[in-house]
Amino acid sequence: MPAQKKPEVRGDVVEPEIVAKYVDTVLLDAAHPAGAWKSASPIAFSADWQGKNVDPGRETQVRVLWSRHYLYLRFECHYRELFTFEDSDPNGRRDHLWDRDVAEVFLQPDPSRERFYREFEVSPNGMFVDLDIFPGGLADLKSGLQRSVVRDEKSHTWNAELAIPMNSLTTKFDPAAIWRVNFYRVEGRNEPRAYLAWQPTHTPQPNFHVPKAFGKLRFASAPAT
């Protein structure tokens, strides 16, 4: 098995990254995760968008896998209380999902186009939204996202697994490419709500749309055939 690449170092700063491990396919089951998830090293975060106010009671772990056809993500979320919508489109899609509790990923397959990226959100009760973000606006992505979500009130956790079609992210997937990525959580019924980020955006007010703050997403090599 090829050695995993080490994070890049610039001066004394280690570039934050998450590595997606290769799989042929994964059956989504948030309550009974496939064994492949264990091969993916998680990242974890519990600080707010400014990198402050660490809250272990809202810690989030994220793992990423990839296949030729899908990018897979698993969120494991600790929560203090839940606040969700009760209505959605028949397929589970819900506009303005961020006005309730969510886990989010922003994906940028082409870092040279800084203001272009994709936004995916999932809620503790399984609703989702997928958006194409570009300068001056956004549009429904209609990605074909698949998902599985489970809640455990006893342990105060909710977990979500996503399968995002690669062709909704890039027209020509290159596993040697380095993407940009950030992960977020929003929780709370009233302001000030909790706005948590893997890589802090350091804006005065909560704002996740700061591409220059994104970390890196690398793709581990597929096994030789």
Side-chain angles (χ1 to χ4, degrees), residues 20-165:
K21 300 301 290 287
Y22 176 81
V23 293
D24 289 326
T25 188
V26 172
L27 178 64
L28 300 185
D29 188 342
H32 305 94
W37 291 109
K38 295 180 180 179
S39 70
S41 298
I43 58 92
F45 61 95
S46 60
D48 67 18
W49 81 99
Q50 293 183 326
K52 303 174 181 178
N53 302 310
V54 172
D55 185 353
R58 292 188 170 112
E59 183 180 84
T60 306
Q61 286 195 354
V62 185
R63 289 177 168 84
V64 186
L65 303 169
W66 73 276
S67 73
R68 298 296 179 183
H69 301 290
Y70 289 94
L71 184 71
Y72 300 97
L73 297 104
R74 178 175 169 86
F75 293 91
E76 299 178 0
C77 308
H78 292 265
Y79 70 87
R80 295 193 175 278
E81 61 177 349
L82 294 180
F83 182 41
T84 58
F85 283 112
E86 297 181 359
D87 63 308
S88 70
D89 294 342
N91 65 352
R93 194 178 189 282
R94 210 324 176 156
D95 284 332
H96 292 269
L97 195 63
W98 53 88
D99 288 336
R100 300 292 189 271
D101 296 356
V102 288
E104 307 184 15
V105 57
F106 287 15
L107 291 161
Q108 188 178 60
D110 184 357
S112 69
R113 305 174 74 210
E114 183 179 359
R115 305 305 305 180
F116 295 81
Y117 48 95
R118 306 284 198 266
E119 175 179 347
F120 300 87
E121 303 183 11
V122 62
S123 70
N125 60 345
M127 297 179 189
F128 77 96
V129 69
D130 51 352
L131 299 170
D132 184 17
I133 308 296
F134 48 85
L138 54 84
D140 294 349
L141 186 57
K142 299 180 180 178
S143 64
L145 169 78
Q146 301 172 32
R147 67 206 185 281
S148 173
V149 181
V150 65
R151 290 179 287 176
D152 186 333
E153 295 182 2
K154 185 176 180 180
S155 64
H156 269 227
T157 59
W158 66 274
N159 301 329
E161 295 180 0
L162 308 180
I164 305 172

